[in-house]
Amino acid sequence: MSMKIRLARGGSKKRPYYAIVAADSRMPRDGRFIEKLGTYAPMLPKDSEDRVRMDMDRIQHWLGQGAQPTDRVARMLETAGVLPKKDRANLKKGTPGKAATKRAEEKAAKAAAAEEAANAPAEEAAAE
């Protein structure tokens, strides 16, 4: 059985509240879980102690059993010092999209045409 440590959403519309749970990876996000390991309240300020609460003993137990934390839970565990920091590189984040690339090409073409037009009369005057 493949185990995950992940977030299960609760709370009302636009007021999220998450439970950190150990669940079978085949179960739905808010469906059946084996054990509740903590809570995450993203609406609270980042420096609040109640924003993330975790039962570290039980999390260590599930990690020892082979449970894999999801990316968001892994980041919380890294902050708590349970997991080592992982190098992440979002290589696509810094690259412009299709529309921005097209605009940049058009702008470069216009600038080249304007520069060529500015140099052309000077060359004609020098030839005369």
Side-chain angles (χ1 to χ4, degrees):
M1 181 164 60
S2 169
M3 297 295 299
K4 290 274 190 187
I5 298 176
R6 65 180 179 206
L7 298 175
R9 192 180 194 281
S12 60
K13 181 178 173 184
K14 298 192 180 194
R15 304 286 297 169
Y17 187 82
Y18 296 92
I20 301 170
V21 297
D24 184 353
S25 64
R26 297 171 292 187
M27 293 297 132
R29 177 191 72 179
D30 300 334
R32 189 170 66 196
F33 60 89
I34 297 170
E35 183 178 358
K36 184 176 175 182
L37 305 173
T39 60
Y40 170 53
M43 299 297 287
L44 294 176
K46 290 189 181 206
D47 57 351
S48 172
E49 291 181 12
D50 294 330
R51 185 176 169 100
V52 179
R53 290 203 173 264
M54 294 184 275
D55 183 356
M56 289 301 172
D57 293 336
R58 296 306 297 166
I59 287 176
Q60 291 285 9
H61 167 77
W62 283 108
L63 291 173
Q65 296 291 320
Q68 295 296 313
T70 58
D71 184 55
R72 183 55 48 193
V73 173
R75 287 173 187 256
M76 291 177 192
L77 294 174
E78 287 172 6
T79 303
V82 175
L83 293 178
K85 290 246 183 223
K86 198 194 270 185
D87 289 336
R88 292 181 179 85
N90 187 352
L91 302 177
K92 291 186 177 182
K93 184 176 182 180
T95 59
K98 291 178 186 176
T101 305
K102 187 175 179 182
R103 280 194 305 268
E105 289 172 358
E106 290 173 358
K107 187 176 180 180
K110 283 184 182 179
E115 185 178 319
E116 188 176 305
N119 290 339
E123 291 174 2
E124 289 177 10
E128 292 178 358

